[in-house]
Amino acid sequence: MKRNIIITGGAGFIGSHVVRLFVNKYPEYKIINLDKLTYAGNLANLKDIEDKPNYRFVKMDICDFEGVLKLMQDEKVDGIIHLAAESHVDRSIKDPFTFAQTNVMGTLSLLQAAKAYWESLPEKYEGKRFYHISTDEVYGALQFDGTLFTETTKYNPHSPYSASKASSDHFVRAFHDTFGMPTIVTNCSNNYGPYQFPEKLIPLFINNIRHRKPLPVYGKGENVRDWLYVVDHARAIDVIFHSGKIAETYNIGGFNEWKNIDIIKVLINTVDRLLGRPEGEDMDLITYVTDRAGHDLRYAIDSTKLQRELGWEPSLQFEEGIEKTVRWYLDNQEWMDNVTSGDYLKYYEDMYDNR
Ligand code: NAD
Ligand code: TYD
């Protein structure tokens, strides 16, 4: 079956993996990558697929209701996979407005455009799908008591980032309940892998270890995160987009909890080994710094529903995933230098103007 799908945020970390998977796996689909190219968007993440005939890039803000509506009409869009967001907790502490604007108002604008277009068609919502990608952070924080977030855990966000994502999740569900829009929401744990912007823990620390710069560990380094390889998240998105039940929520995660300080030690050992340094030589780069304000203690996802109902499971063990990831960053220093210098932003500034 032919489908015309907008993937928002496709030039970002997770979005680029989703775009790559869909463009390669479904040559009969048209994949439209709608991205504003903020600091986090980088078209170099998609160099390997940018010339494929079933791919189109459109530089656009999700808040641009008229632009999105026209694009949906022009491309006869029948599916939206929505990843575009401001995604970094530390930035949300400094600038919550941008997070409310993109994550809340942008999602609402996208919903309104989809509603306007799909309701104008004779078949209306039949065969359509609005799939919203969210985070486990909306559930709040767990104690060290072995409990897990399930799909029915009460929302309790603490950071401006998670509050804005929680709000967007509510709007998506409201569009199903009020207008009958065929929506799906998924909440995933922390992702790691190639093409992640080096403000997040894993790529930042790999780069710092390589260049022997201090590793700023927030608080005591005892906070726990649940890590999933990004390609496994993209695979889950594929399964859920095609086979997930309308109006359902699915948690995505690989039952892979790590204390920050333990993961940091694994990163140091792996980088040292791959660079031919004595393993553990760079442990003295660990530098404890003031804790993040409102730092959530522990995240841990129960993805039993997704595994049982749709048969998805992670393809990689963590040890294998982290080795691949470290290797990728070490082999792609040019990508890293481009991103850390901001050069990619200048390069793409005026290249794409589709309006
Ligand atoms: P990212 O910051 O790497 O990428 C975000 C992308 O969205 C960028 O390409 C950016 O240019 C684009 N964007 C931002 N504002 C936009 C706007 N107003 N209009 C159009 N495009 C805009 O983010 P990521 O880590 O890839 O996360 C993608 C999605 O997955 C987000 O919705 C995030 O909440 C969710 N998520 C992320 C993680 C994680 O560990 N990274 C885990 C679970 C869920
Ligand atoms: P991050 O990658 O920002 O993801 P999130 O906050 O969405 O979980 O951070 C992962 C964990 O690492 C989190 O507990 C905060 C911690 N952290 C540090 O200790 N130092 C850092 O420099 C960063 C970026 C994160």
Side-chain angles (χ1 to χ4, degrees):
M1 198 180 95
K2 175 151 172 51
R3 300 206 66 150
N4 301 315
I5 301 168
I6 288 180
I7 298 179
T8 72
F13 167 47
I14 303 170
S16 64
H17 289 276
V18 178
V19 166
R20 175 176 297 99
L21 178 69
F22 273 67
V23 165
N24 286 329
K25 186 169 172 185
Y26 302 107
E28 71 278 21
Y29 290 7
K30 173 97 180 258
I31 302 301
I32 302 132
N33 173 8
L34 186 163
D35 197 299
K36 183 184 174 182
L37 297 183
T38 67
Y39 79 95
N42 182 359
L43 290 173
N45 298 356
L46 291 164
K47 275 222 161 314
D48 53 322
I49 58 105
E50 67 185 6
D51 295 328
K52 297 261 178 169
N54 63 337
Y55 172 71
R56 176 181 173 198
F57 173 73
V58 177
K59 183 172 175 349
M60 194 179 282
D61 190 328
I62 52 167
C63 299
D64 177 359
F65 169 81
E66 298 291 343
V68 175
L69 178 59
K70 181 164 186 312
L71 182 64
M72 290 191 73
Q73 291 163 340
D74 290 349
E75 294 283 4
K76 301 189 171 35
V77 168
D78 55 22
I80 296 182
I81 304 178
H82 174 37
L83 296 107
E86 289 292 336
S87 69
H88 189 44
V89 173
D90 293 331
R91 283 181 191 256
S92 82
I93 294 168
K94 292 202 191 92
D95 173 24
F97 274 116
T98 307
F99 283 69
Q101 179 62 26
T102 283
N103 299 0
V104 185
M105 295 307 289
T107 300
L108 180 55
S109 179
L110 207 57
L111 285 161
Q112 283 281 61
K115 176 177 182 290
Y117 174 54
W118 288 339
E119 287 191 353
S120 75
L121 301 172
E123 78 278 10
K124 300 197 184 301
Y125 290 120
E126 209 185 303
K128 311 296 187 296
R129 192 154 281 209
F130 189 107
Y131 177 1
H132 176 62
I133 309 300
S134 191
T135 163
D136 60 356
E137 303 192 25
V138 298
Y139 297 125
L142 297 165
Q143 295 302 310
F144 294 127
D145 57 5
T147 51
L148 303 174
F149 296 133
T150 71
E151 286 81 1
T152 54
T153 301
K154 193 164 157 278
Y155 273 32
N156 188 18
H158 298 301
S159 73
Y161 165 62
S162 54
S164 68
K165 290 297 291 187
S167 173
S168 64
D169 295 8
H170 290 318
F171 268 111
V172 173
R173 295 193 179 101
F175 268 62
H176 171 268
D177 297 349
T178 308
F179 307 113
M181 184 179 288
T183 60
I184 293 189
V185 176
T186 57
N187 299 85
C188 188
S189 62
N190 285 60
N191 284 215
Y192 71 97
Y195 301 113
Q196 185 167 33
F197 194 82
E199 63 187 351
K200 307 276 168 69
L201 179 76
I202 290 186
L204 175 70
F205 278 33
I206 293 173
N207 199 40
N208 283 11
I209 299 163
R210 174 179 209 153
H211 296 290
R212 295 213 157 101
K213 289 194 202 153
L215 307 175
V217 181
Y218 299 162
K220 293 185 179 147
E222 287 184 342
N223 304 64
V224 168
R225 296 293 182 265
D226 187 354
W227 294 95
L228 182 69
Y229 192 61
V230 63
V231 174
D232 281 327
H233 189 188
R235 288 174 52 249
I237 290 172
D238 176 21
V239 171
I240 294 162
F241 179 78
H242 289 97
S243 311
K245 270 203 222 130
I246 298 300
E248 289 285 328
T249 296
Y250 298 91
N251 278 354
I252 308 175
F255 298 97
N256 181 42
E257 289 180 53
W258 284 78
K259 255 189 197 163
N260 289 343
I261 193 65
D262 292 336
I263 227 171
I264 290 162
K265 289 178 182 162
V266 171
L267 291 175
I268 293 171
N269 283 331
T270 313
V271 174
D272 281 348
R273 178 167 44 79
L274 292 177
L275 289 180
R277 300 175 184 167
E279 236 179 75
E281 186 181 64
D282 288 308
M283 287 294 169
D284 60 352
L285 295 176
I286 292 176
T287 309
Y288 292 96
V289 300
T290 309
D291 208 354
R292 173 187 277 171
H295 196 173
D296 284 338
L297 188 62
R298 175 176 165 254
Y299 302 143
I301 272 277
D302 183 350
S303 61
T304 308
K305 175 177 171 181
L306 170 63
Q307 304 205 9
R308 195 186 49 226
E309 293 185 10
L310 301 181
W312 171 89
E313 52 182 50
S315 66
L316 276 190
Q317 290 303 309
F318 186 65
E319 290 67 20
E320 205 182 330
I322 211 75
E323 175 95 13
K324 263 177 103 123
T325 301
V326 171
R327 218 177 261 284
W328 187 87
Y329 284 101
L330 296 182
D331 287 349
N332 288 275
Q333 190 60 43
E334 203 186 324
W335 180 90
M336 182 62 87
D337 291 343
N338 236 342
V339 172
T340 45
S341 69
D343 279 354
Y344 68 106
L345 290 173
K346 288 178 223 119
Y347 181 69
Y348 287 118
E349 224 155 53
D350 300 313
M351 235 175 109
Y352 288 91
D353 188 6
N354 293 281
R355 303 291 316 291

